[in-house]
Each structure stands twice: as C-alpha cells, then as structure tokens.
Amino acid sequence: MKKLLSVIFLLLIALSVSINAQEVWPTREVTIIVSWSAGGATDLLFRAVGKYFPKYANGQQLIIKNVPGGGAAIGYGEAAKAKPDGYTLVAAANPMVTRALMGAAPYDPIKSFEPVCLLVNNPCYIIVNSKTKRWKNLNEFMQDAKQNPGIITVGNGGAGGGTHLVALKFENKFKVKFNHVPFSGGAPAVTALLGGHIDSYVGSAPEGLPNVDSGELEILAVFSEKRLKNYPKAPTAKEQGYDFVDAMWRGVSVPKGTPIRIINRINEIMKAILADPEFQKDADKLSQDLTYLGPTEFRKLIISEYSAYKGIVEKYNLGDFYK
C-alpha cells in the first residue's frame, strides 16, 4: 500500500509540474518566420505585434526571423520542418497558398501547418500615378481596358504572388485583359509607378499609401465592402459598379503537430494584442484592417483561398506545373 501511495504521489507531482508548465508558456523567446525581407508589409505588421508580445507572453520576446527567397517557399519550408512546440511560429499570408500552387514547394499550405488566428485582412486597391494617369475613375479605366486589351500595364509584387492573382481574378471576372508586370516586391513596383514605367499597381496596405498621402499617387478603387478608414475619399470598386472584393490576409500558423493547448495559448496572446489600444494605434498608422478569426475559421479561409487561387492558376496556366 505504501508503495502504491508513493507512486500516486509521484504521479501527482509530475501532473502538477506539467500543468504549471502549461500555464507559464512561453518560458523563453518565441521566433516567428517571415518569408520575406525586412521592411515589407508582413514584416512591418509582425514587428508591431512583437512590440506588444512580451506584455501578454510572460515577458518573453517575439523574434522576427526573415527568411526570404523562392517566392516565400524557403521560409515556409523551414517553418514546416520546425519543432512543433510553439516556439516557432510562421507568418501566414496569401503567398503561402499561391506559391504552393505555382510549383513544387517544400511544404503544403494546408497539411504542413495548423492555423492559429487571422490578424489582418487588408483590402487590395488599384493605384495610379497622379500626374500621368489617363482615367478619372475606375469606369474609364475599365472601358480603356476593354477597348485596348493587353495595353494597360498593371504591376504586381511578383509573378504568381497574391497581388498578381488578385489582378488576374479581377480581369477574369470582368472580361478584360491587362498587361501584368511583375516586380520583386511591392516597393519596387510602387517605385516603377512613381517613375511612370507602369500605368497602375494592385497592392494592399501599406504599399504606396505614403505616396498617396503626398499626392504622387491616387487610389482609383478599393476592393472592399467599405472605404478605407484613413482614405475616405477613395471609392470602392462596388460603388463604381464593379462588384469585386479581395484582400491580402495575414495571420499566425504553427508547424503541424503543435499541441492544441499551445495553439490556444498563442491564440489568446494574439487576441490580447489585437485588443490593446496602443497596438491598435500602431496598426492604424500602417493602415492595417484588424480582423480576427480563430483557428477553425482561419482554416476555412485558407482552404477557401486555396480553391479560389487554384482555379485562377489552372485557367491561366501559371507556374511550373504548366510549363
């Protein structure tokens, strides 16, 4: 009996230690892999998140690890192989889906990760050069595209990337044809637009918005249900007769196999950051559209996006799978 009581006592101690460990997670710094260089939209968002992470995560730091290259495949590939203990997070965004559809990738956007939560859902928009533009509104832009197929140049942040496919979805829905011009990211595309080398650019916040503020660029249409909070004068596409809504979403995922209790804990931390008034001020400066979805809803969004993008990739014979 004494031996049995001793075993029970030891088991209770082990259980207590385990429960305590669950409660104090994290006990060391956490890394989030961002599959692009520093300074991009996703990087800026998670640097803002990292500023408030210690406040809600036992004082532990969120370390941004930029792993660019391969159209985001290198970073997502590294994240997929990380130990599933919650100490490696991954910045989930549209290109996580689109890159895997464009060619062989060292990860699967649905099978390799567990969605934790969506943080932002930034509406896309068409911006044009204020000095060289030929159109007063979206209707004139579209009429020109219909009359001159393949002539209007529309820049994007990379062939097969999120903004490229949004532009393709837009032209496919309204039966027009643009001349799509890829760049190595949103920043060089905006630079080309400023220089008059392209006619327009499809992007999302904060791409090009500082130049909109300075008057150099102009938002021709926003692909959302309502106007952007910081740009109330910029009309939506729907207002102008084109029922089209699309956005660049960004959230947090973890490697497959991460315990559900850790996923829930990360979710709690992120929800607390989203609700923080000071973080909301920082996000507003970046024109981020804060939009929360939990693990289940975020998974549904990713699956839905995979299906939608797959249809566009197949229709236009994009990527390595169709060469």
Side-chain angles (χ1 to χ4, degrees):
M1 178 62 73
K2 288 183 177 180
K3 183 179 290 187
L4 178 60
L5 290 174
S6 297
V7 171
I8 293 174
F9 179 70
L10 290 173
L11 287 173
L12 289 173
I13 291 177
L15 179 60
S16 176
V17 170
S18 175
I19 292 173
N20 186 57
Q22 293 179 29
E23 291 174 346
V24 300
W25 190 95
T27 58
R28 55 185 171 87
E29 66 183 27
V30 178
T31 297
I32 184 164
I33 294 178
V34 175
S35 301
W36 298 273
S37 300
T42 303
D43 177 77
L44 291 174
L45 169 66
F46 283 101
R47 289 188 187 278
V49 169
K51 179 180 174 182
Y52 297 91
F53 189 82
K55 182 177 178 180
Y56 302 101
N58 306 322
Q60 302 301 324
Q61 299 292 320
L62 180 67
I63 306 300
I64 310 298
K65 183 178 182 181
N66 298 101
V67 186
I74 295 176
Y76 284 121
E78 179 176 325
K81 296 176 183 177
K83 186 176 180 180
D85 58 3
Y87 287 98
T88 299
L89 314 181
V90 58
N94 303 63
M96 179 179 77
V97 173
T98 60
R99 174 59 185 82
L101 288 168
M102 296 295 291
Y107 71 96
D108 183 287
I110 297 173
K111 297 179 181 179
S112 297
F113 305 108
E114 292 288 353
V116 176
C117 60
L118 178 73
L119 299 179
V120 303
N121 198 37
N122 291 332
C124 290
Y125 42 71
I126 300 177
I127 53 176
V128 295
N129 189 306
S130 300
K131 294 181 180 179
T132 62
K133 69 171 185 174
R134 306 194 299 271
W135 320 276
K136 294 180 180 178
N137 50 51
L138 182 60
N139 188 55
E140 289 188 4
F141 179 86
M142 294 297 284
Q143 289 300 319
D144 192 352
K146 289 179 180 179
Q147 294 170 10
N148 302 285
I151 299 300
I152 295 177
T153 52
V154 179
N156 61 67
T163 56
H164 181 203
L165 293 193
V166 167
L168 287 174
K169 286 164 70 176
F170 183 68
E171 76 166 26
N172 178 64
K173 181 169 182 176
F174 298 109
K175 312 302 179 186
V176 296
K177 178 63 178 175
F178 300 125
N179 179 4
H180 299 272
V181 183
F183 292 86
S184 59
V190 170
T191 299
L193 181 59
L194 288 167
H197 304 297
I198 55 176
D199 298 318
S200 61
Y201 172 65
V202 171
S204 68
E207 296 167 343
L209 294 183
N211 306 102
V212 172
D213 295 336
S214 67
E216 298 169 287
L217 301 180
E218 181 180 323
I219 301 174
L220 205 62
V222 181
F223 296 155
S224 63
E225 296 288 350
K226 59 183 180 180
R227 298 189 179 196
L228 297 177
K229 175 185 175 183
N230 293 344
Y231 299 89
K233 294 183 179 181
T236 66
K238 293 186 73 170
E239 286 179 73
Q240 301 178 77
Y242 295 86
D243 189 3
F244 186 81
V245 175
D246 215 328
M248 292 290 102
W249 45 264
R250 297 178 178 93
V252 177
S253 290
V254 290
K256 192 76 172 181
T258 301
I260 187 63
R261 63 180 178 81
I262 300 298
I263 291 175
N264 290 339
R265 173 70 174 132
I266 298 168
N267 183 34
E268 290 173 359
I269 292 170
M270 293 299 164
K271 283 180 70 175
I273 293 172
L274 285 179
D276 190 296
E278 293 304 311
F279 170 76
Q280 291 176 359
K281 290 179 183 178
D282 288 351
D284 188 60
K285 291 176 183 177
L286 295 171
S287 293
Q288 298 296 296
D289 189 353
L290 301 181
T291 307
Y292 170 79
L293 290 178
T296 300
E297 293 78 11
F298 190 24
R299 177 181 293 280
K300 290 178 181 178
L301 172 64
I302 292 172
I303 293 173
S304 174
E305 290 285 270
Y306 183 91
S307 177
Y309 283 127
K310 188 173 187 293
I312 292 296
V313 169
E314 290 177 345
K315 175 167 184 173
Y316 284 88
N317 295 328
L318 300 172
D320 297 337
F321 292 140
Y322 300 95
K323 289 182 179 179

